[in-house]
């Protein structure tokens, strides 16, 4: 239950974020979720999109430095404590989260949490055992 | 492997010095009589041509600096009648008035000779095709290589600089065997070639002659791997003749200086004292045989040392080590002398880092800051901030341990550092001192 996340290197310069989104728009790529991490020098844009392989090629051919990472999408009820309950499970299982971000589904009362782990395979196994609901690539795209 | 001029390039030390001595005696006498600039300088030092009896007396003669050459612009250093000049080249003059090199037919013949020697060092013969991507025009690079190639009887493609995609198609269509350009442009060719899907292992290029800007041993490795050719370092300057002052042979262990024509000395740039072979200092060159604008003891500002050990290629001319920098692109960061080539060398050792970098020097609160901008690429990119920051930290650490300076390393987007089609602009100095 892994899904593909695209990451893009962005220099802290006017207009660069716009150029990434314009490139995707021009090529009919739809964003599902994104997060931007930044330092004083540069930023890393992380994207979940409907056509990840295509998006990767398009960004590459437009001279962006890009990477493809596997992440996990966990679905939780969109209510108080939704995130905390998942984190509690991870805490107990001694799972270290590299980073995470979240978005709310528009067609249901659920929220989706995107997690990045270093030791993904091991973590996946544990999360499945704990009965967390993880979404497939197709499910995320069709949300 | 052929030596172009076996007689003169393999002279033993005694014979070579005899030849150099007789040529220097003639030169001092001629310049004293014909060029008032040199007569005045020699008079100031109390030197008469008769004081020059031997090549070792060269240290009695005055230096010539770039400023001297600018002050005598355009033809103040001419040693022949103007009607004897058949060709003129100048430097770009980006930092002041240009430097002039006025050639007689004899000088053009000399230039062809030393460039034929240079190309022969890379085993270029009549059946070869030389793609000359040095600029044609007032710049000496283009025509220097051109004359040498014609002298050998090889095929010359006078494509000149720029027009990168065309360079790459010409290279394949006409089966180029030798490439001449600046090392930074060569890497640019490799980059564009890769984008065009060219497999350089399948091209016919076997050797490249790269010069006109300092480069490092690691850059050589990079060029040889990416373009699948043997990369030779060549050296020359407009003030002396253009390219053809010195070149590496296939042994790649220093550049043989054609010292029967261009006499090298190494001096302490501070005191002007001559240093013995093997010691590092500023290269000074005297043109022993040039007719139009002969130059005595030109201070090149290039830092190197002379190697005297025997070269397996059989040539006996002393070799200069590849340039260690220039006295005038040397950065002084909080009192520490730094050459961009040293920084480049450190960068090359960091796994995955590409040779595209730029140095920005600034002064804040009376303190110098050196920012090293390094282009990111997919091999070092990560979706995690901490991994990218650790690359920056690693480079900063490596620069500190090898150069003793604190730097700020900044990752930048690919192609954000200007790719010049000529010399790469490596240093931006914002200090107002």
């Amino acid at each position: 239950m892994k899904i593909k996340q695209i990451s893009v290197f962005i220099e802290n310069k006017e207009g660069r974020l716009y150029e990434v989104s314009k490139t995707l728009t021009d090529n009919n790529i739809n964003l599902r979720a994104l997060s931007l991490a930044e330092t004083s020098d540069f930023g890393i844009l992380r994207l979940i999109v409907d056509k990840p392989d295509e998006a990767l090629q398009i960004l590459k051919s437009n001279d962006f430095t890009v990477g493809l990472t596997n992440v996990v999408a966990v679905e939780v009820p969109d209510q108080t404590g939704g995130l905390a309950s998942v984190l509690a499970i991870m805490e107990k299982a001694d799972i270290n989260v590299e980073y995470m971000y979240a978005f709310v589904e528009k067609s249901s009362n659920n929220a989706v949490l995107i997690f990045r782990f270093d030791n993904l395979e091991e973590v996946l196994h544990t999360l499945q055992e704990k009965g967390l609901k993880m979404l497939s690539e197709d499910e995320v795209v069709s949300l | 492997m052929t030596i172009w001029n076996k007689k003169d390039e393999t002279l033993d030390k005694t014979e070579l010095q005899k030849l150099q001595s007789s040529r220097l005696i003639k030169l001092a006498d001629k310049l004293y009589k014909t060029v008032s600039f040199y007569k005045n300088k020699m008079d100031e030092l109390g030197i008469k041509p008769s004081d020059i009896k031997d090549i070792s007396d060269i240290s009695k003669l005055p230096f010539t600096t770039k400023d001297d050459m600018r002050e005598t612009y355009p033809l103040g250093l001419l040693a022949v009648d103007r009607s004897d000049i058949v060709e003129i080249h100048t430097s770009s003059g980006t930092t002041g008035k240009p430097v002039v090199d006025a050639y007689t037919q004899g000088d053009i013949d000399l230039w062809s000779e030393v460039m034929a020697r240079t190309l022969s060092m890379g085993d270029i013969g009549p059946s070869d095709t030389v793609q000359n991507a040095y600029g044609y025009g007032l710049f000496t690079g283009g025509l220097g290589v051109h004359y040498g190639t014609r002298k050998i009887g090889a095929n010359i493609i006078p494509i000149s600089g720029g027009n990168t995609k065309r360079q790459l198609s010409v290279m394949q269509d006409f089966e180029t065997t030798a490439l001449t350009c600046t090392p930074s442009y060569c890497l640019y060719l490799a980059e564009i070639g890769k984008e065009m899907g060219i497999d350089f292992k399948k091209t016919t290029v076997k050797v490249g002659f790269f010069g006109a800007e300092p480069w490092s041993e690691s850059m050589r490795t990079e060029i040889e791997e990416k373009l699948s050719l043997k990369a030779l370092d060549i050296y020359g300057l407009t003030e002396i003749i253009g390219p053809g002052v010195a070149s590496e042979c296939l042994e790649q262990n220093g550049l043989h200086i054609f010292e029967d024509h261009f006499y090298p000395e190494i001096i302490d740039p501070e005191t002007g004292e001559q240093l013995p072979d093997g010691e590092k200092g500023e290269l000074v060159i005297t043109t022993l045989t040039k007719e139009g604008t002969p130059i005595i003891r030109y201070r090149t500002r290039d830092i190197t040392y002379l190697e005297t050990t025997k070269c397996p290629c059989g040539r006996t001319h002393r070799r200069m080590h590849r340039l260690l920098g220039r006295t005038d692109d040397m950065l002084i960061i909080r009192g520490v002398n730094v050459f961009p080539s040293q920084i480049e060398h450190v960068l090359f050792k960091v796994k995955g880092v590409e040779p595209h970098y730029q140095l920005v020097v600034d002064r804040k609160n009376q303190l110098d800051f050196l920012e090293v901008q390094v282009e990111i690429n997919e091999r070092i990119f990560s979706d995690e901030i901490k991994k990218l920051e650790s690359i920056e930290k690693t480079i900063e650490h490596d620069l500190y341990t090898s150069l003793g300076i604190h730097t700020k390393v900044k990752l930048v987007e690919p192609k954000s550092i200007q790719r010049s089609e000529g010399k790469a602009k490596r240093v931006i100095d914002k200090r107002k001192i």
Side-chain angles (χ1 to χ4, degrees):
Chain A
M1 286 302 211
K2 293 173 279 190
I3 61 167
K4 287 173 183 163
Q5 172 197 263
I6 289 173
S7 44
V8 190
F9 183 88
I10 293 182
E11 224 180 298
N12 280 0
K13 248 186 346 199
E14 251 180 63
R16 290 307 282 161
L17 188 55
Y18 167 69
E19 283 171 51
V20 176
S21 58
K22 182 162 189 321
T23 305
L24 294 174
T25 306
D26 290 349
N27 289 282
N28 236 344
I29 305 282
N30 202 356
L31 293 178
R32 284 279 157 254
L34 70 81
S35 94
L36 181 63
E38 46 138 8
T39 72
S40 56
D41 293 342
F42 58 82
I44 302 171
L45 182 64
R46 297 147 183 164
L47 307 166
I48 307 289
V49 298
D50 55 357
K51 290 166 274 184
D53 294 322
E54 200 181 318
L56 190 78
Q57 285 316 313
I58 287 160
L59 289 168
K60 261 191 196 182
S61 59
N62 280 279
D63 289 335
F64 289 100
T65 304
V66 288
L68 196 64
T69 323
N70 287 321
V71 292
V72 177
V74 179
E75 195 181 52
V76 293
D78 181 20
Q79 62 187 49
T80 314
L83 170 63
S85 62
V86 174
L87 291 178
I89 290 168
M90 292 178 183
E91 155 87 356
K92 256 191 210 141
D94 218 1
I95 292 169
N96 184 34
V97 178
E98 288 299 332
Y99 58 79
M100 69 149 301
Y101 49 102
F103 63 99
V104 175
E105 290 179 26
K106 54 188 175 189
S107 55
S108 74
N109 289 324
N110 290 329
V112 177
L113 313 172
I114 307 287
F115 285 101
R116 164 81 156 95
F117 305 105
D118 246 352
N119 46 341
L120 182 61
E121 297 300 333
E122 217 180 297
V123 171
L124 266 180
H125 192 70
T126 314
L127 296 184
Q128 260 155 359
E129 268 181 7
K130 302 283 176 192
L132 287 181
K133 184 173 185 213
M134 286 177 281
L135 301 180
S136 69
E137 190 98 54
D138 290 342
E139 284 170 320
V140 170
V141 168
S142 61
L143 284 176
Chain B
M1 216 168 22
T2 45
I3 296 177
W4 177 256
N5 184 334
K6 194 145 194 190
K7 180 177 154 282
D8 289 342
E9 291 182 80
T10 61
L11 287 174
D12 71 35
K13 203 175 168 184
T14 323
E15 287 172 58
L16 183 60
Q17 283 180 349
K18 226 166 86 187
L19 184 66
Q20 289 165 334
S21 295
S22 74
R23 286 176 169 173
L24 182 70
I25 291 163
K26 261 195 239 164
L27 176 72
D29 187 56
K30 177 178 151 190
L31 288 189
Y32 192 80
K33 285 177 187 150
T34 55
V35 182
S36 59
F37 168 84
Y38 281 116
K39 180 178 185 300
N40 295 341
K41 278 217 164 190
M42 284 166 73
D43 285 345
E44 269 169 41
L45 292 171
I47 299 293
K48 292 273 171 281
S50 55
D51 294 327
I52 308 301
K53 300 182 183 78
D54 191 86
I55 190 69
S56 63
D57 291 325
I58 197 165
S59 58
K60 294 177 182 165
L61 291 168
F63 289 118
T64 310
T65 64
K66 200 174 192 105
D67 284 341
D68 291 331
M69 298 192 78
R70 284 177 176 151
E71 279 159 26
T72 53
Y73 180 88
L75 290 171
L77 294 178
L78 204 60
V80 293
D81 197 84
R82 275 192 75 152
S83 61
D84 292 329
I85 294 303
V86 298
E87 188 166 322
I88 282 176
H89 285 270
T90 76
S91 68
S92 57
T94 40
T95 50
K97 272 193 180 154
V99 165
V100 180
D101 204 341
Y103 304 72
T104 63
Q105 185 53 51
D107 292 334
I108 296 292
D109 294 344
L110 165 65
W111 203 10
S112 309
E113 156 78 18
V114 287
M115 279 311 295
R117 290 186 189 180
T118 297
L119 295 164
S120 299
M121 296 232 187
D123 216 13
I124 295 304
S127 57
D128 280 292
T129 294
V130 179
Q131 180 165 341
N132 185 14
Y134 282 116
Y136 277 68
L138 282 175
F139 173 60
T140 52
L143 280 163
V145 171
H146 191 95
Y147 292 142
T149 310
R150 294 297 308 275
K151 178 101 182 173
I152 284 180
N155 176 23
I156 180 92
I157 302 179
I159 190 162
S160 199
N163 214 339
T164 307
K165 287 192 173 158
R166 189 171 179 199
Q167 297 272 3
L168 290 159
S169 358
V170 162
M171 183 184 289
Q172 296 173 93
D173 297 345
F174 297 100
E175 299 184 338
T176 299
T177 54
L179 174 68
T180 58
C181 62
T182 58
S184 59
Y185 186 56
C186 176
L187 279 177
Y188 184 65
L189 275 174
E191 193 177 313
I192 301 298
K194 197 179 156 204
E195 279 174 19
M196 287 167 68
I198 295 173
D199 179 1
F200 284 100
K201 285 202 178 70
K202 290 187 183 138
T203 62
T204 44
V205 187
K206 59 179 183 184
V207 64
F209 298 87
F210 307 109
E213 65 185 15
W215 50 312
S216 61
E217 205 51 44
S218 347
M219 196 157 168
R220 186 210 305 271
T221 312
E222 182 96 9
I223 288 173
E224 292 193 332
E225 277 171 11
K226 286 193 169 166
L227 284 110
S228 190
L229 50 73
K230 195 102 170 160
L232 301 183
D233 193 6
I234 62 170
Y235 178 75
L237 57 173
T238 309
E239 291 84 346
I240 300 304
I241 197 158
V245 175
S247 171
E248 274 182 335
C249 61
L250 290 171
E251 300 291 332
Q252 297 178 314
N253 59 356
L255 294 76
H256 291 277
I257 303 176
F258 305 121
E259 58 171 315
D260 50 336
H261 296 290
F262 309 117
Y263 187 78
E265 298 169 80
I266 299 292
I267 63 158
D268 178 334
E270 300 292 325
T271 63
E273 280 312 306
Q274 210 182 63
L275 299 173
D277 286 348
E279 271 189 46
K280 198 165 81 176
E282 181 180 343
L283 177 66
V284 167
I285 301 174
T286 299
T287 65
L288 293 174
T289 54
K290 218 166 71 164
E291 299 169 345
T293 44
I295 302 294
I296 288 180
R297 304 192 84 199
Y298 180 67
R299 296 197 51 169
T300 65
R301 297 277 169 200
D302 287 320
I303 304 288
T304 182
Y305 59 88
L306 298 181
E307 297 189 49
T308 51
T309 51
K310 204 171 165 220
C311 184
C313 77
R315 294 174 182 87
T316 52
H317 292 174
R318 281 176 289 176
R319 307 188 302 283
M320 57 185 264
H321 186 269
R322 69 160 54 246
L323 294 186
L324 296 163
R326 287 178 58 84
T327 57
D328 52 4
D329 83 351
M330 184 175 77
L331 295 167
I332 303 177
I333 308 292
R334 299 193 195 180
V336 181
N337 297 346
V338 184
F339 291 108
S341 57
Q342 293 177 295
I343 292 176
E344 182 179 297
H345 198 71
V346 172
L347 289 180
F348 267 109
K349 287 188 181 158
V350 183
K351 209 176 163 215
V353 169
E354 297 266 345
H356 303 302
Y357 69 97
Q358 195 160 46
L359 309 175
V360 182
V361 197
D362 207 350
R363 179 164 286 188
K364 288 169 196 158
N365 305 323
Q366 308 301 316
L367 284 175
D368 293 328
F369 283 90
L370 179 61
E371 186 179 87
V372 181
Q373 298 182 347
V374 181
E375 281 190 6
I376 186 119
N377 63 64
E378 277 175 24
R379 274 185 291 165
I380 57 172
F381 177 57
S382 160
D383 61 315
E384 291 179 59
I385 293 272
K386 66 176 181 195
K387 290 202 175 134
L388 292 184
E389 283 187 327
S390 110
I391 290 167
E392 290 182 336
K393 291 277 172 302
T394 303
I395 300 174
E396 283 172 10
H397 172 81
D398 291 357
L399 286 171
Y400 181 70
T401 48
S402 57
L403 305 176
I405 48 163
H406 289 286
T407 54
K408 161 86 183 87
V409 170
K410 182 181 177 180
L411 292 173
V412 296
E413 284 185 24
K415 299 189 180 170
S416 59
I417 293 168
Q418 191 197 339
R419 300 280 199 286
S420 66
E421 299 207 330
K423 297 191 184 194
K425 185 156 176 54
R426 296 289 190 208
V427 182
I428 296 173
D429 202 334
K430 293 178 170 171
R431 289 178 294 188
K432 292 180 184 72
I433 300 170

